[in-house]
Amino acid sequence: IPRFSYGGVWTGGELLVWGGTDTFDWFDHGHRYDHAKAAWTGAIPTNGAPTTRERPSAVWTGSEMLIWGGWAGGPYRRDGALYTPASDTWTAMADAGSPAARSGHASLWTGTEFFVWGGCGGDLCATVYDDGGRFNAAGGWNPLTPKSPTGARHEHSVVWTGSDAILWGGLDPAGAPLGTGFRAKL
């Protein structure tokens, strides 16, 4: 099904695509593309999968695709799940302690944890966040509080150096582009 604003990850052999929209509908399904076969090889099961959403975080943990957050045409999401291609199953993420529902946030996988920062929620992105969280399957969520002088932002980027998260740019609450960032040891 044609779509945009979906979550996608590369496993080393497959492209996994989940969610997204076609402008009129929000999707709660996805597909697998096998690079070696140069073909779409099937649908990802929906049993236990995240609900409809566009612009979710999507990261590859080394064995699972993690989908979290996003927007569904009204409600923002603060839930997620892990898809394991080897068993073709989903496992829900704990949501206790997770950041507020949001989209337009930056996220990454550190090798042991999922990191999310910033983003927006509320009616038409009226609330812009200056906080985030860290998730690991064994311990659940650890909230991250506002960091001065980062400022609230959305539509920003974050990269992982192997020891630090470097966040840069985005839009401030008024929609103005930012030329600032920060570096955080995780």
Side-chain angles (χ1 to χ4, degrees):
I1 296 176
R3 65 186 71 206
F4 63 95
S5 294
Y6 54 84
V9 299
W10 177 249
T11 70
E14 285 185 304
L15 167 66
L16 306 178
V17 172
W18 184 260
T21 183
D22 64 0
T23 303
F24 303 106
D25 295 306
W26 288 268
F27 302 132
D28 63 352
H29 52 77
H31 298 277
R32 297 170 76 153
Y33 178 83
D34 186 308
H35 176 67
K37 295 178 182 175
W40 291 97
T41 57
I44 295 173
T46 57
N47 187 28
T51 56
T52 59
R53 65 195 65 212
E54 69 176 89
R55 298 176 54 217
S57 287
V59 297
W60 179 245
T61 71
S63 61
E64 298 170 309
M65 173 177 63
L66 185 154
I67 298 288
W68 185 84
W71 183 68
Y76 287 81
R77 305 291 192 204
R78 69 174 280 216
D79 63 337
L82 295 139
Y83 171 67
T84 308
S87 62
D88 213 19
T89 59
W90 288 93
T91 304
M93 293 171 65
D95 64 353
S98 73
R102 64 189 67 200
S103 185
H105 51 279
S107 64
L108 56 79
W109 181 252
T110 69
T112 58
E113 291 184 309
F114 171 64
F115 167 83
V116 60
W117 187 267
C120 63
D123 189 30
L124 298 174
C125 205
T127 304
V128 179
Y129 296 106
D130 182 20
D131 67 359
R134 294 164 63 174
F135 174 85
N136 72 57
W141 283 98
N142 258 327
L144 295 171
T145 56
K147 298 257 187 205
S148 186
T150 64
R153 62 184 68 217
H154 64 107
E155 311 305 328
H156 50 293
S157 296
V158 65
V159 296
W160 179 242
T161 68
S163 62
D164 298 354
I166 300 173
L167 185 141
W168 192 83
L171 300 172
D172 72 11
L178 293 165
T180 61
F182 71 95
R183 181 176 179 158
K185 285 231 178 267
L186 299 178

